[in-house]
Amino acid sequence: MQNMSKINKRERFFTVGGITKNVTNPDPRSRAWVEVDPKVIEKNSRVLKDFIGEDCLLMAVVKADGYGHGAETVAKAALIGGADSLGVATLEEGIQLRNAGFKCQILILGNLINREEFYTALCWALIPTISGIREAIICNNIAEKNHKKFIVHLKVDTGMTRLGCHCHEAEELISKIDYLENISLKGIYSHLAIADSDQVKNNCKSFTQMQLNRFEKVLNDLGKRNKSLCRHLANSAGTLSDSRLHFDMVRVGLSLYGYFPVNEFGSDLKLKPALKVKARVTLVRDVDKGIGVGYGHFFKTQRKSKLAVVAIGYADGVSRVLSGKISASIDGVLIPQVGAIAMDQMVFDITDKPDIKIGHVLTLLGTDGDVMISPQKWSDLSGSIPWEVLCSFRNRLPRVIT
Ligand SMILES: *Cc1c(COP(=O)(O)O)cnc(C)c1O
């Protein structure tokens, strides 16, 4: 008898049999989500392609799952808009795109480490970046064994101090690579370190100018050989700031997604943000003056207030550092977030917009009517950069393609 009642208690708590059968999955828009408009990416790609002109190729950088937009969605839209190739950071990102059916050139911007990785890159026809003779020899051996030619790009370090061979080594290195029969060196490139904070146009002694000079010297020293290579140097900031940085190809990330790394450069271009972060109000409550809100009671109401609880938190990608600093938009009206941002929830003060109800949708990031809340705004408030803000929406939020 006693046994029986124990089982019943357990069953009352745990049994879900029969209930789940006829229930459909929740709408991805039920709690909080990221909205991406591929048409906007396509248009940005076209705008950038027109801007760089027909003599220059456009590489769409879709690393980190397309800066949080979805790599496949972005890649497809960018190619339709006129991009010529794709850039990824890792082998896995390249394979994902090949698996999704992308046939264009894909350059791996990061460094591969060992034979297995280079072999995998060869199998998937991904182009590795090499920085020295070690990688060149590995590639040559692997290609020889597999009776193939390994297409690679060589990176030269002009001042980023990350990947790439020293500038003064480049010429000798290339002459050695040219002896390796199973390598086909198709590109040479470098990466700008401070183009987003440096003013190339107004200051000829700028660091970016020096990187340009170094890159040009490497190319000059190669003589005729350099003409047969795809030469590339510019990221978004470089692309928008100075056409002398374009060479044969530019590698754009941030601007493809609709943002300007430097306010002054390219702002006349019609680039538009493709991403929005939205969340629903899950509860509305009235509280008295002087009431502490959320963990730590960092915020206390200064008046009788109306508060809206919204189901998005730092686990979704809204940094806790932004607590009490951001606003969200509804009907083009900004309402302030108050108290600590928690893992899954945050609170907004809607005292001045009391018509907000359960189920209403707030726009935390992106355009809503005339209001535009940019990742730049968030990164200014949190001491980060827009790139990192965009990359943070990859954990839990469903992505809705509009
Ligand atoms: C990420 C990356 C880019 C794109 O930079 P944006 O500033 O987002 O345009 C270009 N080149 C390399 C090597 C990169 O790693």
Side-chain angles (χ1 to χ4, degrees):
M1 198 59 206
Q2 219 181 351
N3 232 355
M4 209 41 208
S5 85
K6 245 188 196 163
I7 287 170
N8 281 343
K9 259 188 197 164
R10 274 184 58 159
E11 284 193 344
R12 254 180 277 149
F13 197 75
F14 289 110
T15 305
V16 289
I19 299 173
T20 50
K21 266 187 195 156
N22 300 318
V23 179
T24 51
N25 287 330
D27 178 351
R29 288 184 174 89
S30 62
R31 173 182 75 90
W33 65 97
V34 169
E35 245 172 60
V36 176
D37 186 347
K39 283 274 174 238
V40 172
I41 301 275
E42 183 186 322
K43 192 137 181 279
N44 291 342
S45 177
R46 195 163 291 128
V47 166
L48 288 163
K49 184 79 185 170
D50 287 346
F51 176 70
I52 59 177
E54 19 183 76
D55 294 338
C56 188
L57 298 171
L58 182 68
M59 171 179 283
V61 178
V62 298
K63 62 193 178 188
D65 206 9
Y67 290 39
H69 295 61
E72 291 168 31
T73 306
V74 171
K76 188 171 165 214
L79 291 169
I80 295 172
D84 302 280
S85 63
L86 300 171
V88 295
T90 68
L91 194 53
E92 290 76 9
E93 290 173 346
I95 294 171
Q96 185 202 342
L97 292 170
R98 284 280 181 256
N99 264 327
F102 290 92
K103 303 265 188 301
C104 64
Q105 290 200 354
I106 300 176
L107 177 66
I108 302 174
L109 301 165
N111 232 36
L112 303 183
I113 300 172
N114 52 35
R115 298 179 57 84
E116 290 68 36
E117 289 193 334
F118 280 105
Y119 174 68
T120 309
L122 182 69
C123 293
W124 288 93
L126 301 168
I127 303 174
T129 294
I130 63 171
S131 287
I133 195 68
R134 174 185 168 272
E135 292 113 333
I137 290 173
I138 294 177
C139 287
N140 191 57
N141 290 345
I142 289 170
E144 195 177 352
K145 264 196 193 137
N146 292 278
H147 312 289
K148 284 188 177 170
K149 277 234 167 192
F150 214 143
I151 294 176
V152 302
H153 282 208
L154 174 69
K155 192 159 191 183
V156 183
D157 179 22
T158 56
M160 178 75 175
T161 322
R162 215 170 54 178
L163 297 181
C165 67
H166 283 293
C167 288
H168 58 82
E169 294 169 352
E171 190 185 353
E172 197 187 329
L173 184 58
I174 290 177
S175 64
K176 284 182 184 158
I177 291 172
D178 285 341
Y179 275 109
L180 300 172
E181 286 180 354
N182 293 79
I183 289 200
S184 170
L185 179 66
K186 284 280 170 68
I188 182 166
Y189 76 105
S190 191
H191 194 34
L192 300 172
I194 58 169
D196 53 338
S197 52
D198 202 15
Q199 310 238 330
V200 193
K201 270 186 179 155
N202 306 325
N203 177 4
C204 288
K205 291 202 185 85
S206 73
F207 192 78
T208 303
Q209 177 69 49
M210 197 179 72
Q211 287 197 267
L212 172 61
N213 294 347
R214 286 176 177 171
F215 192 57
E216 280 180 330
K217 174 154 193 324
V218 168
L219 298 177
N220 278 337
D221 290 349
L222 290 178
K224 277 199 196 115
R225 176 69 176 100
N226 99 56
K227 301 267 173 1
S228 56
L229 297 169
C230 174
R231 302 157 295 186
H232 48 113
L233 176 63
N235 52 6
S236 293
T239 302
L240 299 178
S241 64
D242 190 335
S243 63
R244 292 177 305 150
L245 301 167
H246 292 181
F247 293 92
D248 301 315
M249 180 167 81
V250 297
R251 310 180 303 266
V252 295
L254 198 71
S255 55
L256 178 68
Y257 303 98
Y259 309 100
F260 298 91
V262 189
N263 285 334
E264 312 81 283
F265 296 146
S267 47
D268 46 335
L269 287 184
K270 291 206 167 60
L271 299 175
K272 283 217 297 233
L275 176 141
K276 293 177 188 181
V277 176
K278 295 186 174 180
R280 273 187 209 279
V281 174
T282 56
L283 197 66
V284 172
R285 57 191 308 131
D286 294 296
V287 295
D288 286 334
K289 182 180 169 179
I291 300 295
V293 177
Y295 287 121
H297 281 185
F298 294 125
F299 173 79
K300 283 205 167 63
T301 52
Q302 302 295 307
R303 52 179 175 172
K304 245 172 116 44
S305 301
K306 203 181 243 316
L307 302 176
V309 183
V310 174
I312 185 169
Y314 59 74
D316 297 298
V318 186
S319 169
R320 189 173 171 282
V321 178
L322 294 168
S323 295
K325 296 180 178 170
I326 53 172
S327 298
S329 172
I330 182 162
D331 309 328
V333 177
L334 284 173
I335 52 167
Q337 187 272 324
V338 293
I341 292 173
M343 193 183 287
D344 323 296
Q345 307 184 59
M346 62 181 79
V347 175
F348 286 84
D349 182 350
I350 56 167
T351 317
D352 296 328
K353 189 155 169 48
D355 56 336
I356 293 178
K357 300 268 179 330
I358 290 182
H360 282 184
V361 175
L362 302 188
T363 302
L364 280 86
L365 207 59
T367 348
D368 177 44
D370 293 336
V371 172
M372 160 62 189
I373 307 168
S374 72
Q376 179 80 54
K377 168 97 187 157
W378 280 19
S379 61
D380 287 349
L381 293 168
S382 63
S384 179
I385 50 172
W387 291 263
E388 189 185 28
V389 169
L390 291 170
C391 288
S392 50
F393 305 110
R394 288 178 301 135
N395 292 340
R396 189 165 69 177
L397 292 183
R399 206 179 277 128
V400 176
I401 310 299
T402 57

